[in-house]
Amino acid sequence: LSVTAKRLSARGDEESSILLLVHDVTALTYAQRERERFTAMASHELKHPLTVMIGNAELALELDELTPRTRERFESIVAASDRMLTMTESLVTTSRRGFSGRDEVADIDLRQILLESVASFRPTAAANDISVDVRADEALPITADGFRLRQVVDNVVSNGIKYTPRDGRVRIVGAVDGGRVVLTVADSGIGIGAEDLPRVLTPYFRTEEAKQKSGGTGLGLGISNDIVLAHGGTLEIDSEAGAGTTVTVRLPLAPAVTEGRA
Ligand code: ADP
């Protein structure tokens, strides 16, 4: 059973009533678990050979006697296997997309998630000479499903890096502003044309420019938006073709903190 409780009147003790929604989700949960199990297994099995391929191609690149053409070929093996690895990883996160987008909720610090996520993408950014600046000076307390929020942050940060050409820049800011936790990821990348912008949340949609730049499924941003909405937040995308993209995620500050500040 899935039980959702909502307080209808949130003003102090007087006249507050609670709405309980109870759904039987047995079949849905079973089907979802099976799908998750299958994709997790497939992804796990694929990851190993891919890692071996990348590792060996990288080792080969260290050899002195390579001709420029052989070097180029090894580099393209590394790049293609890297893209496959990213896709395999996104298979798992995609399959974990629940019906609510919010399963295990706890009081968490988004700053922690942000810093961990950025650290995991630093090697990719460095390999492409992209500078990544992070500014998150205070705790960013939210009541949320940490796994899903990591999914959101991973998606917007990795897109910022993925869609930014060599020598570009990605600036990330996490702050508390007006009772909300605000995360912005601004890149100096390929951008999204005005005609494509309304479609980027549509499953499988990818711009022509994105397809030329790198691999991807066209699923991540829509899933991120669903997750953010399920947490009472908003995800906004501002972009200009050829100039860069800024993604802004706003989430409600954890209630305890909001009361403390009021
Ligand atoms: P993908 O797996 O293709 O990266 P997403 O769902 O994360 O899928 O994003 C959907 C599409 O939105 C991308 O294919 C790309 O066309 C566009 N997009 C998302 N983020 C950016 C960005 N930072 N810069 C340019 N285009 C972006």
Side-chain angles (χ1 to χ4, degrees), residues 90 155-156 159-164 187 189-192 200-202 205-211 214-222 239 244-245 247:
S90 75
N155 181 252
V156 289
N159 277 351
I161 295 169
K162 192 162 81 169
Y163 297 120
T164 296
D187 66 59
I190 60 173
I192 304 163
V200 292
L201 297 179
T202 311
F205 176 80
R206 308 191 68 218
T207 65
E208 282 311 313
E209 294 75 13
K211 285 184 201 163
S214 83
T217 56
L219 289 167
L221 214 48
S239 191
T245 303
V247 178

Side-chain angles (χ1 to χ4, degrees), residues 2-220:
S2 152
V3 183
T4 318
K6 259 195 157 61
R7 188 148 95 203
L8 293 180
S9 150
R11 294 220 163 263
D13 297 326
E14 83 277 349
E15 288 179 36
S16 105
S17 43
I18 287 172
L19 174 70
L20 276 183
L21 295 169
V22 183
H23 297 281
D24 179 355
V25 291
T26 318
L28 264 174
T29 310
Y30 180 76
Q32 192 198 357
R33 285 225 183 102
E34 279 304 294
R35 199 177 60 211
E36 278 178 20
R37 217 168 55 88
F38 175 77
T39 37
M41 231 171 55
S43 148
H44 184 79
E45 297 298 320
L46 285 169
K47 255 188 208 166
H48 178 66
L50 280 170
T51 316
V52 174
M53 278 165 66
I54 295 170
N56 278 292
E58 278 174 346
L59 279 178
L61 275 168
E62 283 171 18
L63 300 173
D64 293 332
E65 66 265 27
L66 292 186
T67 64
R69 287 199 61 185
T70 321
R71 177 168 297 280
E72 224 170 79
R73 290 192 177 147
F74 276 121
E75 278 169 355
S76 83
I77 292 177
V78 173
S81 326
D82 252 343
R83 283 203 301 275
M84 261 176 95
L85 200 58
T86 311
M87 282 189 250
T88 343
E89 273 154 12
S90 75
L91 251 178
V92 178
T93 43
T94 308
S95 82
R96 289 209 181 167
R97 175 185 196 175
F99 22 93
S100 75
R102 195 185 130 125
D103 299 328
E104 289 166 33
V105 176
D107 286 332
I108 56 170
D109 185 359
L110 189 67
R111 179 171 185 269
Q112 216 58 43
I113 291 181
L114 178 61
L115 297 181
E116 278 172 26
S117 169
V118 173
S120 76
F121 291 111
R122 281 211 184 272
T124 315
N128 292 290
D129 296 318
I130 294 168
S131 74
V132 179
D133 313 324
V134 194
R135 228 182 61 216
D137 305 325
E138 52 187 329
L140 305 171
I142 53 173
T143 306
D145 183 328
F147 175 83
R148 300 212 189 264
L149 260 295
R150 174 70 191 257
Q151 226 175 305
V152 172
V153 176
D154 278 355
N155 181 252
V156 289
V157 172
S158 71
N159 277 351
I161 295 169
K162 192 162 81 169
Y163 297 120
T164 296
R166 216 160 251 287
D167 297 319
R169 174 161 217 161
V170 179
R171 292 169 195 262
I172 303 162
V173 181
V176 174
D177 187 16
R180 310 219 114 197
V181 164
V182 184
L183 167 71
T184 55
V185 178
D187 66 59
S188 64
I190 60 173
I192 304 163
E195 66 292 351
D196 286 334
L197 202 53
R199 304 170 64 194
V200 292
L201 297 179
T202 311
Y204 306 107
F205 176 80
R206 308 191 68 218
T207 65
E208 282 311 313
E209 294 75 13
K211 285 184 201 163
Q212 281 168 27
K213 177 83 177 70
S214 83
T217 56
L219 289 167

